[in-house]
Amino acid sequence: MQIQENKSVQLADGGTIQLKKIDYVEFYVGNAQQAAHFYCKSFGFRLIAYAGLETGVRDRCSFVLEQSHIRFVFTSPLTPYGSIAEYVKLHGDGVHDIALLVDDTRTCFNIAVARGAKPILAPTLLKGENGSILKATIAGYSGDLTHSFIERHKYTEFSPQYHLLDNLPQCTKNNLIEIDHIVLNVESGKMNLWADFYRTVLDFKQQQEFTSDDISTQYSSLMSKVVENNTGRIKFPINEPAEGYRKSQIQEYLDFHCGPGVQHIALRTNDIIQTVRQLRHNGIEFLETPDSYYDNLPKYISPIDEDINILKELNILLDRDEQGYLLQIFTKPLVTRPTFFLEIIQRKGAQGFGNGNFKALFEAIEREQASRGNL
Ligand code: FE2
């Protein structure tokens, strides 16, 4: 049951937006059934809920996948008309909504709209047998990436519109625990506007900034700003392309995604060696790192707990900051266009994003870009 509140939006002139964590990420894709199957079989997700014709939803079908604290929703249109079909036609498969868990949807929505966010869905009560959800949605800086506010009242299931699925076959989990960060690629000159949107509308703060001097190779470069919410649990690095000798990888993304959007989602594990072994066994392809990377690792990286030869065998990258170190690896694009991919990350104290690896990562991405004729 769905009840949209008719109250006019009250302008809130004070208060702050309190976000708890990412509740789910919704992808719009051409074939949600096959995308769900892929993420279950390859990444160890479990299908927990479904919405579609059988549940009274006439215009779309959605598959909800879960692993530990990570929840992905894959949605496809059932007709050639409407916003989902338009999204897929323009962007290909990609992230449409990053939904945020809150204690008070109404307040978050009213404050965000009063601060200039475009309203997409006014606070709407979704009532189920065991509780209810209050949902509202605003456009992000770009309208094709939205943020929903999700307030759960004694409601632990996904959503009343969805049917829970029982007695599902278990797939092999991959020790993926939660979303570490989500990276956005935006057009040249737009990084500060996006960072300002998150700061002024959603009360994020800026954590780090990297200039094109920090992140460049012989051919191309980018600039990056990291914004995070006040608890530090939600982190969005924002990249824009910078002038280089050849086309930036960010520009390649923008050209094929046809606009700004989510470049990658980093998923955290507590055992990256086991996770990457399992993912490789499942057929997932990762960016390759040259052996010279491991031979030339700076002295400050050690000591580490892991055997460097195993990291080299699996192509896992390393970086260190004042608080510790991190291990990370990037998949090749997971969709038809050279756009969206996943990162697997394990943190051993380090709070950064592997900026020491940008160069190695860039060079690996550029080899892929060159193979596609886009460098
Ligand atoms: Fe990342």
Side-chain angles (χ1 to χ4, degrees):
M1 186 181 178
Q2 188 170 326
I3 305 164
Q4 183 152 327
E5 300 192 337
N6 283 325
K7 292 177 207 160
S8 60
V9 172
Q10 292 185 353
L11 291 184
D13 55 2
T16 56
I17 287 190
Q18 301 289 336
L19 308 171
K20 298 172 90 171
K21 63 172 187 173
I22 294 171
D23 193 277
Y24 63 87
V25 174
E26 182 167 19
F27 298 74
Y28 280 175
V29 298
N31 189 331
Q33 185 172 340
Q34 289 189 1
H37 184 77
F38 170 75
Y39 278 88
C40 288
K41 291 290 178 194
S42 301
F43 283 92
F45 282 83
R46 209 164 61 94
L47 182 61
I48 60 159
Y50 168 80
L53 294 174
E54 299 83 347
T55 71
V57 177
R58 304 299 300 173
D59 67 335
R60 67 186 69 191
C61 72
S62 296
F63 294 79
V64 184
L65 272 54
E66 194 173 73
Q67 183 169 178
S68 297
H69 301 290
I70 308 161
R71 206 146 43 187
F72 285 169
V73 181
F74 294 92
T75 296
S76 286
L78 293 178
T79 76
Y81 315 108
S83 60
I84 306 169
E86 289 297 325
Y87 178 102
V88 174
K89 181 183 172 193
L90 182 63
H91 300 298
D93 293 0
V95 171
H96 172 63
D97 190 29
I98 302 172
L100 307 164
L101 184 67
V102 299
D103 283 330
D104 187 343
T105 286
R106 213 170 276 112
T107 297
C108 290
F109 178 81
N110 288 350
I111 291 176
V113 170
R115 290 172 178 175
K118 183 182 166 197
I120 302 287
L121 174 72
T124 299
L125 189 66
L126 305 168
K127 277 182 125 179
E129 283 176 16
N130 304 321
S132 63
I133 289 175
L134 189 60
K135 176 180 178 179
T137 306
I138 58 164
Y141 183 78
S142 151
D144 279 353
L145 178 63
T146 63
H147 292 295
S148 292
F149 300 116
I150 304 289
E151 176 185 334
R152 296 182 176 275
H153 290 280
K154 297 177 183 162
Y155 205 82
T156 54
E157 295 155 13
F158 180 68
S159 173
Q161 295 162 311
Y162 291 72
H163 276 206
L164 288 186
L165 303 172
D166 297 324
N167 302 320
L168 294 166
Q170 298 292 320
C171 48
T172 314
K173 279 180 67 178
N174 273 320
N175 300 324
L176 298 170
I177 302 166
E178 67 179 335
I179 292 173
D180 187 272
H181 59 273
I182 298 182
V183 174
L184 312 177
N185 280 353
V186 308
E187 306 98 319
S188 180
K190 295 285 179 68
M191 176 180 71
N192 287 328
L193 294 171
W194 280 71
D196 287 347
F197 172 86
Y198 285 103
R199 282 204 303 250
T200 58
V201 175
L202 291 176
D203 286 325
F204 279 53
K205 58 192 183 219
Q206 188 179 315
Q207 194 207 24
Q208 284 174 292
E209 178 169 4
F210 303 103
T211 67
S212 54
D213 291 337
D214 300 318
I215 316 174
S216 64
T217 68
Q218 181 188 355
Y219 293 130
S220 68
S221 62
L222 63 77
M223 294 188 287
S224 186
K225 268 186 180 178
V226 182
V227 293
E228 65 176 33
N229 77 319
N230 57 4
T231 65
R233 273 191 91 176
I234 305 169
K235 294 184 171 75
F236 298 150
I238 302 168
N239 297 331
E240 73 169 46
E243 274 301 306
Y245 177 54
R246 289 187 176 167
K247 183 186 278 191
S248 167
Q249 51 160 298
I250 308 304
Q251 193 57 49
E252 186 197 30
Y253 173 98
L254 295 167
D255 290 349
F256 281 87
H257 184 76
C258 296
V262 171
Q263 179 206 44
H264 74 263
I265 299 178
L267 303 177
R268 194 156 62 242
T269 172
N270 279 338
D271 187 349
I272 197 168
I273 289 175
Q274 203 218 339
T275 300
V276 172
R277 272 199 205 289
Q278 184 66 47
L279 291 174
R280 285 190 181 280
H281 174 78
N282 295 349
I284 295 301
E285 290 188 285
F286 294 93
L287 289 182
E288 285 164 20
T289 311
D291 286 353
S292 57
Y293 170 84
Y294 299 92
D295 300 335
N296 300 326
L297 271 177
K299 296 253 181 312
Y300 69 80
I301 292 285
S302 58
I304 57 168
D305 302 331
E306 294 75 16
D307 180 342
I308 201 88
N309 290 316
I310 295 176
L311 301 181
K312 186 174 175 177
E313 172 203 326
L314 295 172
N315 278 206
I316 294 168
L317 303 168
L318 276 161
D319 197 25
R320 182 177 280 280
D321 63 19
E322 305 78 49
Q323 287 128 314
Y325 68 100
L326 61 82
L327 304 108
Q328 64 185 165
I329 191 167
F330 301 86
T331 71
K332 292 186 178 180
L334 295 171
V335 293
T336 313
R337 303 187 196 186
T339 52
F340 176 78
F341 59 89
L342 287 178
E343 171 184 348
I344 309 298
I345 186 167
Q346 181 176 7
R347 293 188 182 277
K348 293 204 159 178
Q351 295 303 307
F353 300 90
N355 49 312
N357 284 323
F358 277 139
K359 198 168 164 117
L361 169 65
F362 266 38
E363 286 168 352
I365 288 178
E366 283 172 2
R367 280 193 294 276
E368 299 279 322
Q369 242 180 294
S371 75
R372 295 189 285 259
N374 290 330
L375 185 63

